[in-house]
Amino acid sequence: MEQLKEFYEKNRRAVIFLITFLWVCIVLVVVHVIAFTRMSRIEIMRDMESDAKVGARIASETLTNYSVLSSQAAKELSQINELPSDEMYEVMGNYTDASQFDNAYFVTVDGHMYRVTSRRSGQEIPLLDTAWSEIRERDVDGKTNFVAGLVSDTPEDIAVVTPVVKQDKTIGYFAGSFNLTDKVFHTIENYIEIEGDLILVDNRGYVIVQDSFGNNDGLFDDIINLRTYMDGLELDDKAWIFMDKVFSTKEIGCMGFMVDHREYAGAYAHLDIMDNWTFINIMPTANFMRELVSQRQDEMALIFFNIILLFVVTIGMFIQTGIREKYLMKIAFEDTITGAWTKAYFRIEGEKLLHKEKNIRYAVATVDIVGFRYVNELFGHERGNEILRVMATQLQHYLGNKELLSRNTADNFELIIADTGSFEPRLGLISDELNEFAKGIDVSIPLKIRAGLVKVKKNSDNDLRWYIDRANAARKLVNVDSGKLVEEYNGSVRDDIRRREEIESTMESAMQHEEFKVFLQPKFDVFTGEIAGAEALVRWIKIDGSFVYPDQFIPVFEENGFVKKLDFYMLEKVCGLLEGLDGEKYKRVPVSVNQSRVLLMDPEYVDKVREIFERHNLPKGLVELELTETAFFDDQRKIIDILNELRDMGIVIDIDDFGSGYSSLNMLKNISFDILKIDREFFGDCGSQTARIILEKVVELAKSLDAECICEGVETQEQEQMLRDMGCRLAQGYYYSKPIAAEEFIKKYLLRDVVDVEAVEVEGNI
């Protein structure tokens, strides 16, 4: 934008002149078009009125001719002695030749009807009750009348009916039928150029015949009764006047009116021969412009050519600036890996979109790939980037014009969507396409997409950041293993957020009041049954005695970083606990303390650990540091360096949850460790022969690497025996004990025999 302002300042006069000149040209063209349109509108409406008059005259003349033919046929039939008879069929057949009636009928006074075609053969056919009623109603003084729908409900099949009178008595009726469209409307086409809808109606509003010509919008197609139909539409005052003139007067005219917010012109003329029939031509006013363009095509083309030329000149002056601005936008707001918008652009434009489009019910969503870090670890960052590019492309493909996408960080995408109903199906398609692409580049692990969604409330004061936070909270609750892809923010998610906020608001005071307690779960030697160590686990017990469970607060602490404080707190507490044990009264067994992967990212981590160990001056190996296998997927090189420093200090390193990740064996070849702890899920399926063999080989592998092996999750005596058979010395699980308070653990497992205690006391007194 700064470059655009600079260009404007340098070329202000030229820009103002070109823009002013361009607008003057546009105004002149608009004035010309308006004036020309008004004059042409008057001229065209006059033409429509004239055409309606010609159409009514042609229709009247055609109907008059058929009326004369019908009277002649009735007169001839009145001279035949026997009706019906072959002689009658012969006479009637003469009137069905070319250019006359399509069919000829004789109707008896009691309602029987006989039809004759050009083959001069007759047959009796049913007569519609409505037609029979109309024939008798119109039987006035032997006059010829017109009846619609004699033998079918097709109104355009008109019958000219004339009473057959003999000795001043009506003995029947002659009826000759013909198609109004063929005989009248097509004849009119030869005399005038028709545009719009031609309708022939009676004074009751019933449509006798109708046809459409040229361009029309279909509003007046397939109408049974024009009066009733128009009553159901939204008409302006002029439209009601038009209707009144059509049905109530004998005038000829044309006028404009509005129907359902669209403008029309209608011309009308009454038929001389049928005083209750009116000929109407209705045309959308929009057709006027097509008519004008066709009449002044060369003139308008020249005008528009000049306008386009001016636009090209003006746009050409700014095109360089536009390219430059686009380039700057690309640098500032386009994600370099995926080509999607960045988070900064999403925040700016997203706020505008939510406030600008008031009539669209938007939702904010966040999307990621579960366990995406394994893709980078196992297959490299380049393949991970390829997957991100495909995901961004597919997400953008399924977005509409008024929806927005950005890449936040890593595999996390943020969206503003309008069609929430189709969001999960769209994600399903994207997931299928993403996994298909992954197979093509030899990424063998399944890619599972999940999304959180929160609907934007109308007239809400919440900003975009508020909605994104709640969409993220909902996303983290998605259980992809259940097949569900999207979790919508609702009451349960809101409660989860409230619990999180409560945890975050009280975590500092909880640490100050030492509400975080050390619990220990013992480890046993499966061969001797002796206590061999313990794992330190944190429990949050509030002052009032209520519990906050680890699965509630640990994920929160990992996200907000408080877990680093908690890990050092636990390490400090365990070291202090072991330091305070009198070695003569209590046994000393190694205790492992969990270290989160977040903590390992602290550049001062090793120094802080060294300071804690030196301050408590504990024997080497008494306190072990336990790291989960998944910690090595963040920055393996850095973590390996940290482990080497810790081992150089004499600290024992445990690898926890081995077997839970995707690259366990790949990890073992790169790191140094002392104890391999097999994940409980890995151990739980040992009823399977295959799983038993794999577990046995893992135990052998640990021994081959000069490492101790421990299995967690032992729950039965049979499992313990199986570990003995495999040569796995250490185990822990509910079979031995659940995690218990540190004081109880010390009293139950570390306190030496009473006799020994008394001896120590006596010796101490001496």
Side-chain angles (χ1 to χ4, degrees), residues 19 44 62 84 106 129 135 142 198 266 279 287 347 351 370 387 399 429 488 500 567 581 585 604 631 661 669 717 749:
I19 293 176
I44 290 175
T62 303
F106 178 73
D129 292 340
I135 289 173
L198 294 187
F279 180 85
N287 291 0
R347 297 293 194 273
E351 289 285 359
V370 179
I387 288 174
L399 287 184
L429 294 173
E488 183 177 344
R500 176 193 177 105
D567 281 354
L581 292 178
K585 293 182 180 181
E604 299 179 356
K669 70 181 178 64
Q717 184 178 1
Y749 294 110

Side-chain angles (χ1 to χ4, degrees), residues 107 111 127-139 147 149-150 173:
V107 182
L127 173 64
L128 294 180
D129 292 340
T130 54
W132 176 233
S133 299
E134 193 168 355
I135 289 173
R136 288 181 297 174
E137 181 182 342
R138 293 179 179 274
D139 183 12
V147 176
L150 190 65
Y173 304 90

Side-chain angles (χ1 to χ4, degrees), residues 125-176:
I125 61 174
L127 173 64
L128 294 180
D129 292 340
T130 54
W132 176 233
S133 299
E134 193 168 355
I135 289 173
R136 288 181 297 174
E137 181 182 342
R138 293 179 179 274
D139 183 12
V140 180
D141 300 330
K143 290 184 177 180
T144 299
N145 286 288
F146 294 88
V147 176
L150 190 65
V151 295
S152 71
D153 57 1
T154 304
E156 64 182 14
D157 288 330
I158 297 297
V160 183
V161 180
T162 304
V164 179
V165 180
K166 193 170 187 178
Q167 296 178 356
D168 297 328
K169 180 181 180 182
T170 299
I171 61 173
Y173 304 90
F174 172 80

